[in-house]
Amino acid sequence: MSDELMREMDFPGQTELEGQEPEVSQYSKQGYQLLKENRIDEAKEAFSKILCVDENNNYALVGLGDCERKQNHIEKAMEFYTKCLSFHPGNNYALFGLADCYKAINQYHKAIEIWERYLVIDNRNITVLTRVADAYRKIRDFHKSRNLYLQVLEMEKNNAYALIGLGHLHYDFKEYRDALYYWSCVYDMAGGAADIRVLTAIGNCHRNLKTFSQGIKFFDMALELEPDNFYALFGLADCYRGLNQQDKSIIYWNKILERDPNNKIILTRVGDAYRKLGNYQVAKDFYNRAMSIDFDIYAALGLALILKDEGCFQECITQLSDLIRNDPRNYRLYLDLSDCYIKMNNKPKAIETLRSFTRQGIRSSAISEKLSRLENEMKAV
């Protein structure tokens, strides 16, 4: 979440600053105003002057913590917040700042602990509730995260941060329909002015749900906002790939390669597209470009599959067998190897290939279905 979202927590208001010594109050107001204007070094100077008068002043300590945090000096910021809390244990600004520091260094459990201390003071603070929900999402505690996001929505029906958080939460757990629902709510609320990240998120839901045509719409909208956006280009290419419109997918894979010519994943995807179009020489060129950067099993698989498509079954079997030795848990390799044996009219060997995968104790519906079908065909002979 942005600093703007927490601005009311970072900077004490006029009323809160009243009651201090006149000199301290003046420097406090000055320091927080400078901090709002992002004049960090000047703000530090103002807050430091307060400590010369009152070395444990909570506003100065929090202010210096905020300054260091804005400069990404997390350890220094934590020192100021911790010192403040040692003298003022219930200071909500120090609690919030310290929790955000733990979040910044990915110590989400500690961040949650601090935020929950804050919620004892104010259990209806939406900013903090969404922060805690985000942290629980990061440590993959689905139920606590979901419950907190829903609590926010009970308080504020259309809170965008909670809706976006719920979208990410469900997406992380591969619940794409639920993720799509929450991100679509954000899209509808934006009234045609949705953030590009929301557009690509919705597109990715459709991509995972294999509703590729609907995904294209949102990736197209994202490209209108940012023509070189990687996620939109990738999403469009992958949707056209899913629709088996390989010629269109190549257009967008190549747009990515224009900016990142050594992306071996994309090079392999282009190779796949040309292979499916039957343009084997160009496909080989892209696979070999990917392999020249670093070994890529899918580029190697693509080269093997070209051999199969060209009828060189024994050579394909040799290459696939080598790949299996390097990656024995990759079910795709066993499917393609068994297919080679089938094309050579050797169903027993195809069955043994699939059984060798299942003996590893790994589950694959594709392997199980093919094995069952082949075994039934053998019984019927």
Side-chain angles (χ1 to χ4, degrees):
M1 294 182 190
S2 64
D3 284 338
E4 286 76 11
L5 182 63
M6 48 182 268
R7 62 187 179 278
E8 73 279 4
M9 304 193 66
D10 275 322
F11 309 119
Q14 177 74 29
T15 304
E16 293 169 280
L17 294 174
E18 289 175 357
Q20 299 185 98
E21 293 293 326
E23 186 179 15
V24 170
S25 178
Q26 177 189 345
Y27 285 129
S28 293
K29 293 174 188 175
Q30 182 183 1
Y32 281 105
Q33 184 58 43
L34 290 167
L35 191 51
K36 283 182 180 179
E37 296 171 5
N38 212 35
R39 295 159 64 182
I40 308 300
D41 291 334
E42 294 172 76
K44 283 184 182 180
E45 186 178 343
F47 291 129
S48 296
K49 288 178 180 177
I50 297 173
L51 296 184
C52 294
V53 179
D54 178 3
E55 63 179 346
N56 299 321
N57 183 275
N58 57 336
Y59 295 108
L61 292 170
V62 170
L64 287 166
D66 290 347
C67 289
E68 299 294 353
R69 183 159 56 89
K70 279 185 171 288
Q71 293 182 316
N72 205 33
H73 302 157
I74 302 301
E75 289 188 10
K76 286 185 178 180
M78 292 174 76
E79 290 175 10
F80 284 115
Y81 293 133
T82 301
K83 183 176 180 181
C84 177
L85 289 169
S86 69
F87 294 102
H88 312 278
N91 187 288
N92 54 3
Y93 304 106
L95 288 169
F96 193 94
L98 183 58
D100 251 23
C101 285
Y102 280 123
K103 174 193 170 189
I105 57 176
N106 298 324
Q107 293 190 26
Y108 296 106
H109 287 91
K110 289 186 177 180
I112 289 169
E113 179 185 337
I114 301 297
W115 276 320
E116 288 186 338
R117 281 170 60 187
Y118 179 94
L119 290 174
V120 171
I121 302 166
D122 179 8
N123 66 358
R124 294 186 62 79
N125 188 297
I126 285 176
T127 302
V128 177
L129 287 169
T130 52
R131 281 284 211 278
V132 182
D134 288 343
Y136 275 123
R137 176 168 60 83
K138 293 290 187 181
I139 62 172
R140 297 189 65 79
D141 190 326
F142 179 89
H143 294 291
K144 286 185 178 178
S145 179
R146 181 175 180 271
N147 289 340
L148 284 166
Y149 284 132
L150 292 176
Q151 185 179 334
V152 170
L153 292 180
E154 286 178 5
M155 297 162 59
E156 188 177 298
K157 182 180 178 181
N158 293 322
N159 184 279
Y161 294 100
L163 291 168
I164 290 171
L166 281 163
H168 283 298
L169 177 65
H170 285 282
Y171 191 92
D172 290 347
F173 282 84
K174 303 186 186 305
E175 297 181 351
Y176 301 118
R177 292 193 185 282
D178 289 321
L180 179 59
Y181 168 78
Y182 288 111
W183 277 326
S184 294
C185 288
V186 178
Y187 172 76
D188 292 339
M189 285 164 48
D195 186 278
I196 191 170
R197 291 167 295 184
V198 174
L199 296 173
T200 53
I202 293 173
N204 282 327
C205 285
H206 284 298
R207 197 163 56 84
N208 282 284
L209 291 168
K210 302 191 185 307
T211 49
F212 299 115
S213 296
Q214 295 179 61
I216 286 171
K217 167 188 171 183
F218 289 94
F219 289 126
D220 273 333
M221 291 170 64
L223 280 187
E224 288 178 10
L225 296 176
E226 192 177 312
D228 293 324
N229 184 276
F230 172 86
Y231 301 102
L233 291 170
F234 186 97
L236 269 173
D238 206 47
C239 283
Y240 283 120
R241 171 175 172 256
L243 292 169
N244 201 29
Q245 297 181 27
Q246 305 299 340
D247 52 340
K248 290 185 178 179
S249 75
I250 288 170
I251 293 170
Y252 295 101
W253 295 134
N254 280 328
K255 284 183 180 292
I256 296 174
L257 290 177
E258 287 173 9
R259 298 175 63 85
D260 187 8
N262 294 321
N263 188 319
K264 66 186 182 76
I265 294 173
I266 306 302
L267 288 168
T268 299
R269 289 291 180 91
V270 179
D272 289 342
Y274 278 113
R275 176 174 57 81
K276 290 174 182 176
L277 288 170
N279 194 336
Y280 297 135
Q281 187 54 56
V282 176
K284 288 178 186 178
D285 291 342
F286 277 96
Y287 288 138
N288 286 322
R289 279 176 61 188
M291 294 286 282
S292 69
I293 295 166
D294 191 14
F295 175 78
D296 184 278
I297 191 163
Y298 292 104
L301 173 59
L303 289 167
L305 292 179
I306 288 175
L307 290 172
K308 185 179 76 169
D309 291 343
E310 292 177 332
C312 304
F313 301 123
Q314 191 56 56
E315 291 179 58
C316 182
I317 287 170
T318 300
Q319 292 200 18
L320 289 172
S321 297
D322 288 341
L323 292 175
I324 286 173
R325 279 190 284 274
N326 289 315
D327 189 5
R329 299 172 69 85
N330 189 326
Y331 78 95
R332 171 76 187 278
L333 300 175
Y334 294 83
L335 289 173
D336 288 315
L337 180 56
S338 68
D339 195 43
C340 279
Y341 284 119
I342 291 169
K343 289 186 181 297
M344 294 180 72
N345 296 315
N346 192 344
K347 283 187 180 180
K349 190 64 175 175
I351 289 172
E352 174 55 29
T353 297
L354 298 173
R355 285 176 177 168
S356 68
F357 177 85
T358 61
R359 282 197 290 269
Q360 298 181 76
I362 312 168
R363 291 184 178 181
S364 164
S365 59
I367 293 282
S368 299
E369 289 170 10
K370 189 170 185 178
L371 179 58
S372 177
R373 178 171 54 80
L374 288 175
E375 288 175 333
N376 289 334
E377 288 175 2
M378 289 295 289
K379 289 176 184 176
V381 174

